[in-house]
Amino acid sequence: MAEATTGPVRLRPIALPVEHGGWGFLGAPIVLGLWVAPSVAGVWLGLAALGAFLMRQPLKLALGDRQRGRRYPRTVWAERFVALYGAGALTALLIAWLTTAHPFWLPLLLAVPFAIVQLRYDLLKQSRSLLAEICGANALGALAPAIALCGGWRMTPAFLLWLLLALKATSAIIYVRARIRLARGVPAGRAPVYLTHAVALALVVGLAAIDLVPWLAGAVFGVLLLRAVLGLLPRSLATPTPIVGVQELGMSLLTVAGIAVGFQMGW
């Protein structure tokens, strides 16, 4: 592997994710899982997930440099951060396993294919593709059922948490992508956004009708549909992208709160 020299190494782009939206997709399942089923093991599992999440950026850089057959000063730092974050994630995962009386591995194992697809797109420099973003968000969503299982939840309601988060994340990604494209004057269809939200709402209402999820979750998805309709109105497209990001964070918090309170109160 050829050595290459560059100027001073900037550590922040190596150590921290450049896509800020990922923090919301990480935080939502952790907060939801700990809200509905708090446990010491769940906290450690959340810390393990944080380590794995942080490892993605330096791992992507290190593997990309290796693919090109080059070794930069940043490559060394990327490998160091991978080792640091990886060790932290494995340590926290081990402590979670030692401090829980309930198995929590199944949702994490089922999330592996999603994570692999995202990593593959990362290496192809297509991490912002629709499939990559959806797979990445849904891989992180597995944390909610895993943490809930740590807290003693049964398998079926725990996996329903993942389904609800997956519906929210997928529809939100499609909405935000369309909104940003339209704001930039790039053609983008509104119909897929409305259809995705309508299908998600119908599924949640159907699950609520057979008492598998709370009705409050259905109300939240109704709000998400309304947000999508209003957000794609021409007058809404002038909103700066950072503000849109803050709005979506608020929608994530609303979704988590609605699902958690609904399950806790039986609403």
Side-chain angles (χ1 to χ4, degrees), residues 16-163:
L16 297 176
V18 294
E19 298 95 350
H20 300 298
W23 290 104
F25 291 124
L26 172 69
I30 294 176
V31 172
L32 178 58
L34 291 175
W35 190 331
V36 299
S39 68
V40 173
V43 172
W44 283 107
L45 191 54
L47 291 174
L50 175 61
F53 176 77
L54 290 173
M55 190 171 63
R56 178 193 167 204
Q57 175 67 9
L59 180 62
K60 179 170 60 175
L61 293 174
L63 291 179
D65 291 346
R66 181 175 291 275
Q67 278 187 328
R68 289 187 292 272
R70 307 289 288 178
R71 187 171 179 80
Y72 303 96
R74 76 166 187 185
T75 312
V76 177
W77 279 103
E79 292 169 347
R80 290 172 179 171
F81 280 116
V82 168
L84 175 64
Y85 293 147
L90 288 175
T91 300
L93 185 61
L94 176 60
I95 296 175
W97 176 62
L98 293 174
T99 55
T100 185
H102 309 283
F104 59 82
W105 299 101
L106 183 57
L108 300 182
L109 292 175
L110 293 177
V112 169
F114 294 107
I116 291 175
V117 170
Q118 185 191 35
L119 180 60
R120 176 61 177 167
Y121 274 88
D122 283 345
L123 296 179
L124 293 174
K125 298 187 180 300
Q126 299 176 14
S127 57
R128 293 188 180 274
S129 69
L130 177 60
L131 181 59
E133 291 187 355
I134 290 176
C135 284
N138 288 330
L140 292 172
L143 292 168
I147 293 174
L149 290 172
C150 284
W153 269 39
R154 292 180 293 108
M155 192 70 71
T156 297
F159 272 87
L160 286 171
L161 295 179
W162 192 3
L163 175 61

Side-chain angles (χ1 to χ4, degrees), residues 32 34-38 153 214 257-267:
L32 178 58
L34 291 175
W35 190 331
V36 299
W153 269 39
I259 295 172
V261 172
F263 271 106
Q264 289 181 329
M265 305 300 294
W267 296 347

Side-chain angles (χ1 to χ4, degrees), residues 25 130 133-135 137-138 162-179 189-204 217 220-229 232 248 251-252 255:
F25 291 124
L130 177 60
E133 291 187 355
I134 290 176
C135 284
N138 288 330
W162 192 3
L163 175 61
L164 293 173
L165 289 180
L167 292 173
K168 192 275 176 188
T170 300
S171 58
I173 289 170
I174 294 173
Y175 159 71
V176 170
R177 289 170 64 92
R179 178 165 178 166
R190 289 177 169 83
V193 178
Y194 303 148
L195 178 62
T196 304
H197 281 75
V199 169
L201 175 59
L203 285 173
V204 176
V220 168
F221 276 83
V223 173
L224 292 175
L225 173 58
L226 179 61
R227 174 272 267 125
V229 173
L232 294 184
E248 284 306 297
M251 288 294 102
S252 293
T255 303

Side-chain angles (χ1 to χ4, degrees), residues 233-258:
L233 292 176
R235 66 172 179 268
S236 300
L237 299 179
T239 305
T241 300
I243 301 300
V244 175
V246 173
Q247 292 172 345
E248 284 306 297
L249 179 59
M251 288 294 102
S252 293
L253 293 174
L254 174 65
T255 303
V256 167

